[in-house]
Amino acid sequence: MTRAERIAIGSIGLGCLVLALKGAAWWISASAALYSDALETTVNVAASTIALYAIHLAAKPADDEHPYGHDKAEFFGAVIVGVLIFIAALSIFWEAWKEAWAPHLLTLSGRAIGLNVAATVLNFVWSLHLTRQGRRLRSAALAADARHLMADVVTSVIIVVGVALVLLTGRASIDPAIAALAGVYVLYSGVRTVSTSVGGLMDAAPDPAVVARIRQVVSDAATGALEAHDLRSRHAGRLAFLEFHLVVPGNMTVAESHAICDRIEAALKAEMEYLVVTIHVEPEVKAKQHGVPVL
Ligand code: ZN
Ligand code: ZN
């Protein structure tokens, strides 16, 4: 089992715990707001399960049918989780709309709020952990799960803040206004999750900073070659693929040019071990003079 899979299983376990806490809060208070909050947590558990399945698929080694590996499965998982975030945003807007037309003062017991706050703190801490691990393990599915949890935290916070403000000011219109604001945040979070994952599915280039660094490393390590051009890179989940043409003097031996390729590959791997490099060697008549200058 990979580390990402273990973390995803942890997410499901935490989701169940949070669900139990929020369910208890609803049981005590019989509040509609807490009911919808608990209901949303079942979606959390579903999202974490989807993330786990996607990570499990992505971890399978390359085979004859998928010679480039299964890493992109993570993007599919992340898109589905992104759509769930989207739906969460719509349900917040719907609740806010209903509240705006038919406001009603909520009464919540201290114990119910306490349970809900404890569940939200757990979600918040785990979401930060997931965000960090998602970045470290280059896992799109974990990152999406983290965004989904954070959307849940925001929803829970506005429910509590909204109720508190209504109780303090006596103005029932504040609650739906705050809910709508949080809905905008959750919507944005969903759009970002979907768009980054679709970018991965469409073979989007890595960050410009990463591409610039790749060009620099190639340029530094290619001593003996004349030029590198047609450099293309794309990221596919954990891995990123890089290919380019390396122009060498026409009379250089195959062994010599291959040694240059090995040196470039080693230098790239030393910094970015997730990079899969393919280099096409060609003689100097092919030089284009518009690629990465090799000194
Ligand atoms: Zn070429
Ligand atoms: Zn080789």
Side-chain angles (χ1 to χ4, degrees):
M1 193 184 290
T2 63
R3 192 171 157 71
E5 281 177 279
R6 277 200 300 276
I7 295 169
I9 289 174
S11 268
I12 297 173
L14 186 105
C16 291
L17 177 64
V18 165
L19 183 61
L21 287 172
K22 288 191 173 176
W26 164 58
W27 189 257
I28 292 171
S29 64
S31 139
L34 288 187
Y35 172 70
S36 70
D37 203 22
L39 205 65
E40 241 193 79
T41 307
T42 60
V43 181
N44 272 358
V45 178
S48 299
T49 309
I50 291 165
L52 172 65
Y53 183 62
I55 288 166
H56 177 71
L57 271 183
K60 287 208 298 187
D63 52 32
D64 286 346
E65 273 161 71
H66 302 91
Y68 290 91
H70 301 81
D71 293 78
K72 286 196 172 180
E74 287 223 13
F75 291 130
F76 280 107
V79 167
I80 297 173
V81 173
V83 170
L84 289 178
I85 300 177
F86 223 79
I87 294 170
L90 294 184
S91 85
I92 293 172
F93 285 133
W94 174 239
E95 289 296 325
W97 179 259
K98 278 197 303 188
E99 264 307 298
W101 289 104
H104 61 286
L105 281 177
L106 299 162
T107 47
L108 292 183
S109 74
R111 257 196 314 166
I113 290 183
L115 281 173
N116 218 48
V117 167
T120 301
V121 168
L122 276 178
N123 266 344
F124 179 67
V125 171
W126 187 256
S127 168
L128 291 183
H129 177 65
L130 272 185
T131 306
R132 257 198 314 271
Q133 293 298 325
R135 203 172 301 144
R136 210 168 69 85
L137 300 169
R138 300 175 56 79
S139 166
L142 283 186
D145 200 21
R147 285 221 189 87
H148 188 258
L149 267 190
M150 198 51 93
D152 197 43
V153 170
V154 169
T155 317
S156 302
V157 168
I158 49 146
I159 286 175
V160 173
V161 169
V163 168
L165 278 179
V166 172
L167 290 180
L168 279 175
T169 62
R171 298 174 103 195
S173 58
I174 289 176
D175 190 34
I178 290 178
L181 262 177
V184 170
Y185 166 80
V186 174
L187 195 66
Y188 165 76
S189 178
V191 168
R192 272 211 55 189
T193 306
V194 171
S195 70
T196 54
S197 305
V198 167
L201 287 172
M202 292 293 294
D203 282 341
D207 282 343
V210 174
V211 176
R213 186 61 202 149
I214 287 173
R215 298 181 88 93
Q216 187 60 48
V217 172
V218 169
S219 173
D220 289 347
T223 319
L226 302 170
E227 186 195 270
H229 61 239
D230 291 358
L231 193 135
R232 290 189 300 174
S233 51
R234 61 196 173 94
H235 72 104
R238 270 178 309 136
L239 302 176
F241 294 89
L242 165 69
E243 54 198 73
F244 61 90
H245 297 182
L246 188 71
V247 181
V248 299
N251 58 358
M252 186 179 263
T253 66
V254 173
E256 280 170 326
S257 59
H258 185 254
I260 298 174
C261 292
D262 275 353
R263 209 166 57 229
I264 296 173
E265 282 172 18
L268 287 167
K269 279 272 177 194
E271 260 184 59
M272 295 165 246
E273 35 97 25
Y274 54 84
L275 213 55
V276 179
V277 187
T278 309
I279 307 173
H280 169 84
V281 173
E282 45 191 35
E284 61 205 302
V285 284
K286 294 280 189 174
K288 282 190 178 173
Q289 307 288 350
H290 62 67
V292 178
V294 175
L295 304 170

